[in-house]
Amino acid sequence: MSKKVFYSALFVLLFSMNSCGNEEVVFDLPEDPDVEVPDDDKDDDGGDEGEDGDEGETPEPIIEKFINPLNIKDKNSAVILDPSVIKVNEKFYLFSASEGWTDGTRPLVGIFESEDLVNWIFVKEAISTSKYKDKIGDWLQGVRIFKDSNKYCIYFISNNKLRCFISDTPNGEFEAYDDNEGIINLPDGFELGYDPITSFITDGDKKYMLLRNKSGDWDADLYLIEMVDYKTFSEPTASFKISDENLQSPSLAIINNKYYLFTKNAFYFGAEPYRIFTSDKLTGNYTYTGQDFLDNSKNVNGIGSFVKDSNNDYWALYSVFVDDTQKHKLYLDKVEFENGFPQIKGLKPSTTEQLAPVFKKEEQNPQ
């Protein structure tokens, strides 16, 4: 169809519609008169449609590449320790305890944001330093983010107390759930063990706290304790010992409908690998598979989160101590399956360029 014929027909159409009433009719026309106007009268075999009349395939997303460690835009001084991630409305929010940034600043808990797990920006501090530093101290361990009871919640340890802070949004200001210091008192018979990273786990309609329960001066057993919500334990107390091997930096995940526990032996600093334990159900008992997930020779500080992308590939986010200058930085690696078990390629954090995760539409939350 020529442009002359098109605009003549359009003028007749506008005139006839205006003469039939006073309702305003708006047409979106190309701003540039030289832009070709689509012709709806094309033959079936000469148009842009596919064989079945579809409008054509959706363009494939751009595949980026990245290299570890990941940088935080405009915040190269940021130190990422024990990262924990949640996905909300197509964005990932990472929460991390801090041990002192190299520029001298130090939020108690930092919030970072990304759309692809590769490119991150610093959003804000999750907990007001000026408001809470004197109450809870300035050394936080094991920050874990999750959502429960319509609240975004973070668990962390400070001054040997388990605390919970909450917010209505993932990038809001987190306040103590009890308007005081946010302390969660454990049930009778339970006590925080050494390196007491604590997580909130859901499985169907069941909710649990993953706890390193003190069993000796330096020993701890792993327990799942049933909860009603993020701050309330079930009554009577229902608990499950999932391991008594004195394991450190535990991380539970459901990958391909299987239950995995990633952890290492306590007190083997530097060389002890992260081992793979499995169970037929969340509440255990977990047994060692004889397989390792990741070597710890580069001082890996816990496996923070697992995320599945649009290609059904799993990715692990974790922190690695780089050196005394950079301290802990954020690493991302694809989870591969060798002999049926998940692991990082070569069992070591990657330091060479690799393809980035692919995200096309809304995917599930990190596990």
Side-chain angles (χ1 to χ4, degrees), residues 115-260:
E115 295 183 353
D116 55 15
L117 297 183
V118 173
N119 301 290
W120 293 90
I121 61 171
F122 174 67
V123 178
K124 60 185 292 188
E125 63 175 7
I127 300 173
S128 171
T129 301
S130 60
K131 182 176 180 178
Y132 284 106
K133 181 178 179 180
D134 292 339
K135 293 183 178 180
I136 66 175
D138 62 354
W139 181 257
L140 277 59
Q141 292 178 276
V143 176
R144 290 291 180 263
I145 175 70
F146 59 94
K147 187 177 183 182
D148 182 59
S149 304
N150 294 319
K151 296 290 184 182
Y152 293 92
C153 315
I154 51 176
Y155 280 169
F156 61 91
I157 311 295
S158 71
N159 291 338
N160 203 36
K161 299 290 185 182
L162 172 62
R163 304 177 193 270
C164 179
F165 279 51
I166 60 175
S167 172
D168 291 330
T169 61
N171 56 357
E173 183 171 334
F174 284 72
E175 301 279 356
Y177 79 91
D178 58 357
D179 296 323
N180 187 16
E181 298 180 8
I183 296 174
I184 291 183
N185 294 310
L186 299 175
D188 291 340
F190 290 91
E191 182 180 353
L192 294 177
Y194 177 79
D195 190 31
I197 294 178
T198 304
S199 303
F200 185 87
I201 311 288
T202 59
D203 189 25
D205 59 352
K206 295 288 188 180
K207 304 175 182 181
Y208 303 92
M209 175 185 289
L210 175 63
L211 175 72
R212 292 192 79 236
N213 182 55
K214 185 175 181 179
S215 59
D217 290 341
W218 297 100
D219 297 331
D221 300 327
L222 283 182
Y223 274 85
L224 282 172
I225 309 175
E226 191 169 328
M227 305 192 74
V228 177
D229 57 31
Y230 62 89
K231 63 182 184 301
T232 311
F233 294 95
S234 61
E235 293 184 2
T237 301
S239 62
F240 305 86
K241 181 189 284 190
I242 65 174
S243 178
D244 56 5
E245 294 193 33
N246 195 26
L247 301 173
Q248 189 175 359
S249 302
S251 178
L252 276 175
I254 304 174
I255 300 177
N256 292 336
N257 298 316
K258 294 183 179 181
Y259 296 97
Y260 292 96

Side-chain angles (χ1 to χ4, degrees), residues 316-330:
L317 282 158
Y318 56 99
S319 60
V320 173
F321 183 82
V322 178
D323 54 43
D324 289 335
T325 300
Q326 300 183 74
K327 299 186 179 180
H328 290 91
K329 293 297 182 182
L330 182 62

Side-chain angles (χ1 to χ4, degrees), residues 54 58-59 72-73 154 169 178 231 272 280 288 296 324 332 339 348 353 361:
D54 295 329
T58 302
I72 310 300
K73 184 178 180 182
I154 51 176
T169 61
D178 58 357
K231 63 182 184 301
E272 176 70 11
D280 293 331
Y288 179 43
N296 196 33
D324 289 335
L332 173 69
N339 301 319
K348 294 184 180 295
E353 188 176 71
K361 296 180 181 180

Side-chain angles (χ1 to χ4, degrees), residues 291-293 334-338 341-345 347:
Q291 303 291 319
D292 295 334
F293 177 74
K334 184 178 178 180
V335 177
E336 301 189 345
F337 289 83
E338 295 291 336
F341 296 101
Q343 65 177 212
I344 299 301
K345 184 177 181 180
L347 299 181

Side-chain angles (χ1 to χ4, degrees), residues 4-19:
K4 182 175 180 181
V5 173
F6 172 80
Y7 285 110
S8 298
L10 178 62
F11 175 80
V12 172
L13 175 62
L14 286 168
F15 178 81
S16 61
M17 295 183 69
N18 188 56
S19 62

